[in-house]
Amino acid sequence: MTALSTAQVRALAAATLLPGFTGTSLPEWLSGRLRAGLAGVCIFGGNIVSRHQLAALVGEIRAANPRAIIAIDEEGGDVTRLYYDVGSPYPGNAVLGRLDDEAFTEHVARIVGWELRRVGIDLDLAPDADVNSNPRNPVIGTRSFGADPALVARHTAAWVRGLQSTGVAACVKHFPGHGDTELDSHLALPVVHGSLEALRGRELVPFAAAVAAEARSIMTSHMLLPDIDPDHVATFSSRVLQGVLRGELGFRGLIVTDALDMAGASADSGIPRAAVRALAGGSDLLCLGTDTTAEQLDDIEAAVAEAVANGALTDARLADAADRVAALATASAAHADRLPVPEWVTLDDEPEFDGAVLQRAIDVLPGTVVGAERVLVALQTVANIAVGVAPWGPAAAGADVRGVHDLAAVDALLLEVPSDAQLVVVGQGIHRHAWTIAAVERLRQHRTDTIVVEMGWPDAAALEVDVTTWGASRAMGAALLATLDALAGGTA
């Protein structure tokens, strides 16, 4: 390959970058970058106030660069962007895994795809293919289809088929598997011990199914697997990406990084250096995270140019990455031309799912008694960054819910709520916070008929709960309310 000029290297670097941005309209600086060949844009919750506004925003991006890749995290459940303002009408992966109906999973993913196509998005950073083997996992949980590798594999493949049947590319995450961690890679670097053989028996099973289902892209995870590559985070590891994903699993599509602004990727080096490491390791499209600036893009391009000049990154690897990004953009445009969006998919209507079906995924402890007069109480904890601040649970479904955020608020609640009203306490990952465990114990001590509802991933060894919904989306909030009504009426 003929030596490239610095300007050519910087242009190739730009063709691999997927920044986020601040605001609900396209900044002029970002529009200019798109016109100059920037790979695309990732849309986050802070960029969205409604689906109509989102469609207009995507139109601005397409006007600047018709071949831009426009990506979004729409997992169809707790992690939602399309419904970040009102809460998701979708059930979520853990619910789909509990129902274990592959046709229904494919149906749900197909509707997600058509909704994304209606607003003009062509890359969905979903599905989550992690096997959630650790109930204390702070960032995966109900984003996973389950703890059984074979079940997760079947539903990952079904989700990929459903989504991609609409022309939207799937991005299966988080390779090689983020399910057995107790740290959130947004905030720290998870370290997972285990041999490649152990990985093959559990974590890699759903990704092999995704490759077989012809997933067009796969997302890396920022985690260290010292028994496989002790020196490089998975996102930067050629052993993991080139050796396992491309070599062993035979993946030929686009490798996308998880956001490089996450602590697991860049806390020790900064984003520009992380970008170089990712490209050198085999990643193709670099998701940069939220609130990217023009100066950060300049710094990344300069770091890539310096790495090519000093041999830390070959121009062939950089060109290969840019070519793979361009190939996905070309394929997405072809799929969009071939697959028109059905007329029934609109910006004003939202999908509806049979509530009776969703209720079948809800677990109720035998002997649970629900009274006619009850007060809903939400244990308010900070959601992980992937979930963000989208409305959740019964409050999103329209119910009157009292929120408590510490033990003092719990004590005040006990004084304020009449003793003849039953407390229904709702939370997400209740077992992962000392104060929420203490709150449940206190409420059960003072109100023995208190019902505890876990809307996240439960851990029975740490805390027994009465009801588990396996998801906290607005849809599952409504399903919970219906279940409580049915239990109170004796029909559940």
Side-chain angles (χ1 to χ4, degrees), residues 11-12 28 85 135 164 222 488:
L12 285 174
E28 181 52 43
D85 55 331
Q164 293 192 165
H222 307 322

Side-chain angles (χ1 to χ4, degrees), residues 69-160:
I69 291 174
I70 304 178
I72 198 168
D73 272 305
E74 183 53 58
E75 296 182 9
D78 290 7
V79 176
T80 184
R81 302 294 178 256
L82 285 176
Y83 295 94
Y84 199 68
D85 55 331
V86 294
S88 176
Y90 291 95
N93 282 2
V95 172
L96 295 176
R98 300 289 293 179
L99 295 172
D100 198 11
D101 181 341
E102 292 170 53
F104 185 56
T105 295
E106 188 169 338
H107 169 69
V108 169
R110 185 176 298 110
I111 296 177
V112 170
W114 285 129
E115 287 213 281
L116 292 177
R117 281 286 312 282
R118 177 56 72 193
V119 297
I121 288 168
D122 53 10
L123 175 62
D124 190 10
L125 306 179
D128 189 307
D130 298 308
V131 179
N132 198 67
S133 56
N134 188 339
R136 296 192 63 83
N137 195 315
V139 69
I140 304 302
T142 60
R143 300 167 66 192
S144 167
F145 291 110
D148 176 68
L151 180 144
V152 175
R154 289 189 285 104
H155 287 276
T156 294
W159 220 96
V160 168

Side-chain angles (χ1 to χ4, degrees), residues 461-485:
L463 179 70
E464 184 177 75
V465 299
D466 303 291
V467 179
T468 305
T469 65
W470 299 96
S473 68
R474 173 161 51 98
M476 293 314 296
L480 169 63
L481 294 173
T483 297
L484 294 173
D485 285 342

Side-chain angles (χ1 to χ4, degrees), residues 100-367:
D100 198 11
D101 181 341
E102 292 170 53
F104 185 56
T105 295
E106 188 169 338
H107 169 69
V108 169
R110 185 176 298 110
I111 296 177
V112 170
W114 285 129
E115 287 213 281
L116 292 177
R117 281 286 312 282
R118 177 56 72 193
V119 297
I121 288 168
D122 53 10
L123 175 62
D124 190 10
L125 306 179
D128 189 307
D130 298 308
V131 179
N132 198 67
S133 56
N134 188 339
R136 296 192 63 83
N137 195 315
V139 69
I140 304 302
T142 60
R143 300 167 66 192
S144 167
F145 291 110
D148 176 68
L151 180 144
V152 175
R154 289 189 285 104
H155 287 276
T156 294
W159 220 96
V160 168
R161 290 194 302 269
L163 181 74
Q164 293 192 165
S165 71
T166 69
V168 176
C171 185
V172 183
K173 59 193 185 186
H174 306 82
F175 189 83
H178 208 310
D180 189 19
T181 63
E182 291 193 22
L183 293 176
D184 181 348
S185 51
H186 291 90
L187 308 174
L189 176 61
V191 178
V192 177
H193 293 275
S195 67
L196 180 56
E197 188 61 33
L199 208 67
R200 290 187 184 112
R202 186 171 65 186
E203 278 78 11
L204 295 184
V205 175
F207 291 99
V211 173
E214 300 183 350
R216 294 183 202 135
S217 67
I218 288 178
M219 177 178 281
T220 67
S221 63
H222 307 322
M223 52 189 289
L224 187 68
L225 298 98
D227 299 308
I228 298 172
D229 186 341
D231 300 317
H232 301 93
V233 172
T235 295
F236 310 147
S237 173
S238 61
R239 292 184 193 175
V240 172
L241 301 183
Q242 302 289 356
V244 179
L245 181 54
R246 293 219 186 274
E248 183 171 326
L249 299 188
F251 180 62
R252 297 292 176 263
L254 188 73
I255 298 177
V256 182
T257 70
D258 207 345
L260 293 181
D261 65 349
M262 295 165 60
S266 59
D268 66 339
S269 67
I271 296 174
R273 177 59 181 151
V276 171
R277 290 175 175 174
L279 288 166
S283 297
D284 304 311
L285 180 62
L286 311 185
C287 179
L288 303 180
T290 60
D291 305 334
T292 311
T293 65
E295 292 73 21
Q296 285 176 320
L297 292 185
D298 284 335
D299 291 344
I300 293 168
E301 291 172 11
V304 171
E306 180 182 356
V308 170
N310 65 28
L313 173 67
T314 67
D315 51 10
R317 168 79 274 271
L318 177 60
D320 175 60
D323 286 345
R324 290 180 185 276
V325 174
L328 182 73
T330 298
S332 294
H335 286 299
D337 290 340
R338 182 173 58 84
L339 297 165
V341 180
E343 292 184 1
W344 55 263
V345 184
T346 75
L347 296 176
D348 295 308
D349 299 316
E350 65 177 47
E352 294 183 6
F353 301 98
D354 187 340
V357 171
L358 303 188
Q359 288 174 58
R360 290 206 296 269
I362 295 177
D363 290 334
V364 179
L365 192 68

